[in-house]
Amino acid sequence: MSMGTQERIVELVHGCYWEKNANCAYTTLYCLERLTGLSVHPQLYHAVRGCHGAGGTGGQCGLIEGALLFLGLYGETLGKSDEEVVALCARYATVFTRQFGSLDCRDLRPGGFRLDDPPHMCERFTVRAVTCIHDFVITLK
Protein backbone atom coordinates (compact mmCIF):
# COMPACT_ATOMS: atom_id res chain seq x y z
CA MET A 1 0.00 0.00 0.00
CA SER A 2 1.32 3.42 -0.88
CA MET A 3 1.82 6.05 1.80
CA GLY A 4 -0.77 8.13 -0.05
CA THR A 5 -3.41 5.46 0.50
CA GLN A 6 -2.53 5.05 4.17
CA GLU A 7 -2.67 8.81 4.69
CA ARG A 8 -6.01 8.92 2.89
CA ILE A 9 -7.42 6.21 5.18
CA VAL A 10 -6.27 8.13 8.26
CA GLU A 11 -7.91 11.28 6.87
CA LEU A 12 -11.17 9.54 5.93
CA VAL A 13 -11.51 7.75 9.28
CA HIS A 14 -10.81 10.94 11.20
CA GLY A 15 -13.37 12.87 9.15
CA CYS A 16 -16.05 10.25 9.64
CA TYR A 17 -15.56 10.11 13.37
CA TRP A 18 -15.02 13.76 14.21
CA GLU A 19 -17.03 15.57 11.49
CA LYS A 20 -19.89 13.11 10.95
CA ASN A 21 -19.86 11.42 14.37
CA ALA A 22 -20.25 8.17 12.41
CA ASN A 23 -19.95 4.69 13.85
CA CYS A 24 -17.38 2.12 12.74
CA ALA A 25 -19.61 0.28 10.22
CA TYR A 26 -20.57 3.55 8.50
CA THR A 27 -16.93 4.62 8.54
CA THR A 28 -15.79 1.36 6.95
CA LEU A 29 -18.36 1.64 4.15
CA TYR A 30 -17.59 5.31 3.59
CA CYS A 31 -13.85 4.72 3.39
CA LEU A 32 -14.19 1.81 0.99
CA GLU A 33 -16.59 3.78 -1.19
CA ARG A 34 -14.08 6.62 -1.45
CA LEU A 35 -11.07 4.33 -1.93
CA THR A 36 -12.60 2.04 -4.57
CA GLY A 37 -15.07 4.34 -6.33
CA LEU A 38 -17.88 1.82 -5.84
CA SER A 39 -21.02 3.73 -4.98
CA VAL A 40 -22.80 2.76 -1.76
CA HIS A 41 -26.55 3.44 -1.71
CA PRO A 42 -27.52 6.02 0.93
CA GLN A 43 -30.02 3.60 2.49
CA LEU A 44 -27.17 1.29 3.42
CA TYR A 45 -25.67 4.09 5.49
CA HIS A 46 -29.01 4.39 7.30
CA ALA A 47 -29.11 0.63 7.81
CA VAL A 48 -25.77 0.53 9.66
CA ARG A 49 -26.72 3.03 12.35
CA GLY A 50 -26.85 0.29 14.99
CA CYS A 51 -23.90 -1.69 13.67
CA HIS A 52 -21.30 -0.76 16.23
CA GLY A 53 -20.74 -3.72 18.44
CA ALA A 54 -24.30 -4.94 17.75
CA GLY A 55 -25.91 -1.73 18.92
CA GLY A 56 -23.34 -1.09 21.61
CA THR A 57 -23.77 -4.46 23.31
CA GLY A 58 -20.24 -5.66 22.55
CA GLY A 59 -21.34 -8.17 19.89
CA GLN A 60 -20.01 -8.34 16.37
CA CYS A 61 -17.78 -5.36 15.59
CA GLY A 62 -19.08 -2.81 13.11
CA LEU A 63 -15.71 -2.86 11.38
CA ILE A 64 -16.35 -6.44 10.26
CA GLU A 65 -20.04 -5.75 9.57
CA GLY A 66 -19.24 -2.80 7.31
CA ALA A 67 -16.55 -4.79 5.54
CA LEU A 68 -18.86 -7.77 4.91
CA LEU A 69 -21.61 -5.52 3.56
CA PHE A 70 -19.11 -3.91 1.23
CA LEU A 71 -17.83 -7.30 0.07
CA GLY A 72 -21.38 -8.26 -0.88
CA LEU A 73 -21.70 -5.14 -3.01
CA TYR A 74 -18.22 -5.47 -4.46
CA GLY A 75 -18.63 -9.17 -5.22
CA GLU A 76 -21.73 -8.30 -7.24
CA THR A 77 -19.77 -5.82 -9.35
CA LEU A 78 -17.19 -8.53 -9.99
CA GLY A 79 -19.93 -10.88 -11.22
CA LYS A 80 -19.53 -13.31 -8.32
CA SER A 81 -22.28 -15.82 -7.57
CA ASP A 82 -24.02 -15.87 -4.19
CA GLU A 83 -21.88 -18.82 -3.14
CA GLU A 84 -18.70 -17.04 -4.19
CA VAL A 85 -19.67 -13.91 -2.24
CA VAL A 86 -20.42 -15.99 0.85
CA ALA A 87 -17.02 -17.70 0.51
CA LEU A 88 -15.35 -14.33 0.04
CA CYS A 89 -16.96 -13.01 3.23
CA ALA A 90 -15.92 -16.12 5.15
CA ARG A 91 -12.38 -15.75 3.85
CA TYR A 92 -12.24 -12.13 4.96
CA ALA A 93 -13.68 -12.97 8.40
CA THR A 94 -10.84 -15.45 8.79
CA VAL A 95 -8.27 -12.84 7.74
CA PHE A 96 -9.77 -10.31 10.18
CA THR A 97 -9.83 -12.82 13.03
CA ARG A 98 -6.23 -13.86 12.39
CA GLN A 99 -5.06 -10.27 12.33
CA PHE A 100 -7.12 -8.89 15.22
CA GLY A 101 -8.02 -11.94 17.33
CA SER A 102 -11.82 -11.74 17.27
CA LEU A 103 -14.91 -10.52 15.44
CA ASP A 104 -16.54 -9.28 18.64
CA CYS A 105 -16.36 -5.72 19.83
CA ARG A 106 -16.17 -6.82 23.46
CA ASP A 107 -12.86 -8.51 22.66
CA LEU A 108 -11.53 -5.83 20.34
CA ARG A 109 -12.59 -2.98 22.61
CA PRO A 110 -11.91 -4.13 26.16
CA GLY A 111 -14.21 -2.60 28.70
CA GLY A 112 -17.12 -2.52 26.29
CA PHE A 113 -19.16 0.64 26.04
CA ARG A 114 -19.43 3.02 28.98
CA LEU A 115 -20.96 6.49 29.18
CA ASP A 116 -17.60 7.93 30.24
CA ASP A 117 -15.70 6.49 27.24
CA PRO A 118 -13.76 9.11 25.33
CA PRO A 119 -15.27 9.84 21.92
CA HIS A 120 -14.10 7.70 19.01
CA MET A 121 -11.68 5.67 21.08
CA CYS A 122 -11.36 3.10 18.27
CA GLU A 123 -10.04 5.57 15.69
CA ARG A 124 -6.54 4.08 15.46
CA PHE A 125 -7.91 0.55 15.40
CA THR A 126 -10.37 1.59 12.68
CA VAL A 127 -7.50 2.80 10.52
CA ARG A 128 -5.88 -0.63 10.88
CA ALA A 129 -9.15 -2.45 10.11
CA VAL A 130 -9.97 -0.29 7.07
CA THR A 131 -6.43 -0.86 5.81
CA CYS A 132 -6.97 -4.60 6.23
CA ILE A 133 -10.21 -4.70 4.22
CA HIS A 134 -8.81 -2.32 1.60
CA ASP A 135 -5.76 -4.57 1.14
CA PHE A 136 -8.09 -7.57 0.86
CA VAL A 137 -10.36 -5.87 -1.70
CA ILE A 138 -7.57 -4.71 -4.00
CA THR A 139 -6.42 -8.32 -4.40
CA LEU A 140 -9.82 -9.32 -5.80
CA LYS A 141 -9.63 -7.57 -9.16
Side-chain angles (χ1 to χ4, degrees), residues 50-106:
C51 294
H52 56 285
T57 65
Q60 185 166 287
C61 178
L63 296 169
I64 190 71
E65 291 173 330
L68 296 176
L69 289 167
F70 185 83
L71 285 174
L73 297 172
Y74 197 70
E76 181 70 22
T77 68
L78 296 176
K80 303 276 187 199
S81 68
D82 289 351
E83 294 80 16
E84 289 171 315
V85 170
V86 169
L88 192 63
C89 288
R91 199 167 100 223
Y92 181 68
T94 299
V95 167
F96 188 94
T97 303
R98 268 195 220 125
Q99 185 158 344
F100 302 114
S102 179
L103 299 176
D104 286 345
C105 202
R106 72 179 56 83

